[in-house]
Amino acid sequence: MPQIIFIQPDGERLSVEADSGITAMEAARANGVAGIDADCSGACACATCHVHVAEEWSAAVGGPNDEERDILEFADEVGATSRLSCQIVLDDAMDGLVLVVPAIA
Ligand code: FES
């Protein structure tokens, strides 16, 4: 059961335990993580679940596919490690994963 760390724009850290096989968005929503609205419920269609993957986790998590990249164009504060958290499927190897929630514009 990986532990995922969400960091808010003000630096607040929230560690949540998540089952392997669910998405980072689902873990965030289940634990009340602010800033992960997930308006489309994980359909890769809204970009309201945007996060920045911490640099040290970027290679392990991987980058977005073409569909996700298209949706990310609608997000604010997109950076080199931006992902839609609904497209990050968690596994045990992601224990300690750090995801940074962008500031809401
Ligand atoms: Fe809508 Fe992720 S929840 S794109």
Side-chain angles (χ1 to χ4, degrees):
M1 181 176 281
Q3 190 163 45
I4 311 301
I5 300 159
F6 291 91
I7 300 179
Q8 291 294 321
D10 66 0
E12 180 188 354
R13 297 168 69 95
L14 179 62
S15 294
V16 307
E17 290 199 344
D19 291 328
S20 291
I22 72 169
T23 68
M25 176 277 280
E26 291 169 324
R29 297 288 293 160
N31 290 279
V33 175
I36 307 293
D37 292 341
D39 289 344
C40 77
S41 301
C44 195
C46 72
T48 62
C49 66
H50 174 212
V51 293
H52 298 276
V53 178
E55 280 290 333
E56 64 271 27
W57 281 97
S58 181
V61 173
N65 63 23
D66 289 345
E67 179 184 12
E68 183 179 344
R69 193 173 290 113
D70 287 347
I71 299 301
L72 276 167
E73 291 183 14
F74 297 99
D76 294 321
E77 294 190 23
V78 174
T81 66
S82 286
R83 291 292 311 269
L84 298 177
S85 58
C86 70
Q87 303 301 305
I88 301 173
V89 179
L90 302 174
D91 62 36
D92 289 345
M94 292 181 180
D95 186 40
L97 174 63
V98 177
L99 300 174
V100 180
V101 179
I104 297 171

